[in-house]
């Protein structure tokens, strides 16, 4: 476990748990459907402040999400798949800003990530954590971007994975998963049914569950885009000064 993680907090009842006490959701709300007790990862920011120089993060030559390792729930940056994620362009678009009557408008192009979406950030963390925990299989239910992101990151890391999709999912998306080498299970039902089957399979076989909203660590990957945006704004202001 990453040395700066301090625990987990339920977003519904504020119960606090040790980092190694729970894997996914608060047990007080685990069976509450869409209202399940999603957990938030807590960090010891005082310890981070003492041990990590912000300049080292900003100036790290690795522009991927690996540079944010002290602020991520992984033990080492080497745990991340070798298919780099993050460090995507942050571009000032003055003509769009002018049309909107805004002085500054920027675009963060996460379409430059390996599978073309923000979801790569979460999937990289899923694979890293699964490998650190020794999980043999990572699984998720998806009809699109999350599945493609997980398949790509798993392919890069040599991590077996199973993806549950409804049969109505776009055939091009399913083909992409198969090209990456994923085991794809097409469910004769809705996405919700695919999700439920994924949940049951993960529990029955001990697979690592990547489903966002259930796995608290997926948000931790996505937050890195906010760090990059904040850095981009600060750099822009510094140039203008």
């Amino acid at each position: 476990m990453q040395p700066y993680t301090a625990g987990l907090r339920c977003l519904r009842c504020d119960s606090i748990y040790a980092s190694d006490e729970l894997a996914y959701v608060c047990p007080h709300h685990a069976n509450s459907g869409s209202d399940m007790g999603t957990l938030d990862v807590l960090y010891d920011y005082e310890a981070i402040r003492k041990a990590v120089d912000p300049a080292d993060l900003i100036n790290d030559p690795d522009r991927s999400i690996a540079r944010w390792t002290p602020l991520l729930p992984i033990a080492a940056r080497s745990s991340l798949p070798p298919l780099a994620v993050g460090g995507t362009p942050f571009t000032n678009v003055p003509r769009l800003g002018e049309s909107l009557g805004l002085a500054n408008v920027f675009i963060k192009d996460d379409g430059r990530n390996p599978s073309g979406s923000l979801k790569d950030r979460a999937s990289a963390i899923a694979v890293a954590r699964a490998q650190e925990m020794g999980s043999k299989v990572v699984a998720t239910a998806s009809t699109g971007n999350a599945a493609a992101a997980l398949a790509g990151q798993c392919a890069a890391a040599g991590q077996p994975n199973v993806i549950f999709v409804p049969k109505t999912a776009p055939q091009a998306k399913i083909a992409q998963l198969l090209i990456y080498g994923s085991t794809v299970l097409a469910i004769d039902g809705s996405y919700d049914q695919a999700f439920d089957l994924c949940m049951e399979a993960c529990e029955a076989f001990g697979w690592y569950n990547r489903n966002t909203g259930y796995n608290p660590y997926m948000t931790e990957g996505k937050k890195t885009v906010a760090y990059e945006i904040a850095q981009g704004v600060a750099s822009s202001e510094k140039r203008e000064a």
Side-chain angles (χ1 to χ4, degrees):
M1 180 60 69
Q2 201 266 12
Y4 302 118
T5 50
L8 299 161
R9 178 177 65 86
C10 176
L11 295 177
R12 289 192 65 197
C13 66
D14 284 332
S15 295
I16 303 294
Y17 303 94
S19 298
D20 59 354
E21 188 176 354
L22 296 176
Y24 299 112
V25 295
C26 176
H28 300 303
H29 316 286
N31 298 314
S32 302
S34 61
D35 293 325
M36 68 177 64
T38 302
L39 298 173
D40 187 31
V41 183
L42 304 177
Y43 293 85
D44 186 344
Y45 290 109
E46 185 58 33
I48 294 174
R49 188 177 295 110
K50 292 178 180 178
V52 180
D53 186 344
D56 291 339
L57 301 179
I58 299 302
N59 298 321
D60 193 320
D62 185 342
R63 308 315 288 170
S64 75
I65 65 172
R67 63 177 163 146
W68 308 112
T69 295
L71 300 168
L72 293 174
I74 57 175
R77 67 167 62 199
S78 59
S79 300
L80 290 165
L83 187 60
V85 173
T88 53
F90 184 70
T91 308
N92 191 357
V93 285
R95 286 188 298 167
L96 178 59
E98 183 177 337
S99 69
L100 297 172
L102 300 173
N104 290 290
V105 174
F106 295 85
I107 289 177
K108 182 66 168 169
D109 185 5
D110 252 25
R112 303 290 188 92
N113 279 321
S115 78
S117 81
L118 172 78
K119 304 294 181 69
D120 284 332
R121 296 175 183 266
S123 290
I125 298 299
V127 175
R129 285 189 57 81
Q131 298 211 329
E132 288 181 350
M133 296 168 64
S135 298
K136 294 182 179 181
V137 175
V138 182
T140 195
S142 173
T143 60
N145 291 337
L150 180 63
Q153 290 297 308
C154 284
Q159 171 69 53
N161 62 100
V162 176
I163 298 175
F164 294 77
V165 300
K167 284 185 177 179
T168 54
Q171 290 301 304
K173 285 291 186 181
I174 294 177
Q176 182 180 16
L177 308 180
L178 294 172
I179 289 171
Y180 281 136
S182 299
T183 297
V184 180
L185 300 180
I187 306 304
D188 189 11
S190 66
Y191 166 77
D192 288 342
Q193 290 172 310
F195 182 92
D196 290 342
L197 282 173
C198 178
M199 297 280 284
E200 292 174 15
C202 286
E203 184 175 354
F205 302 121
W207 296 347
Y208 189 75
N209 192 327
R210 181 244 182 264
N211 286 319
T212 298
Y214 185 72
N215 186 325
Y217 298 102
M218 298 304 90
T219 305
E220 298 305 294
K222 293 178 182 178
K223 75 180 182 183
T224 57
V225 74
Y227 292 154
E228 293 175 17
I229 290 172
Q231 181 198 352
V233 171
S235 297
S236 177
E237 291 176 346
K238 184 176 181 180
R239 286 194 298 270
E240 291 179 0

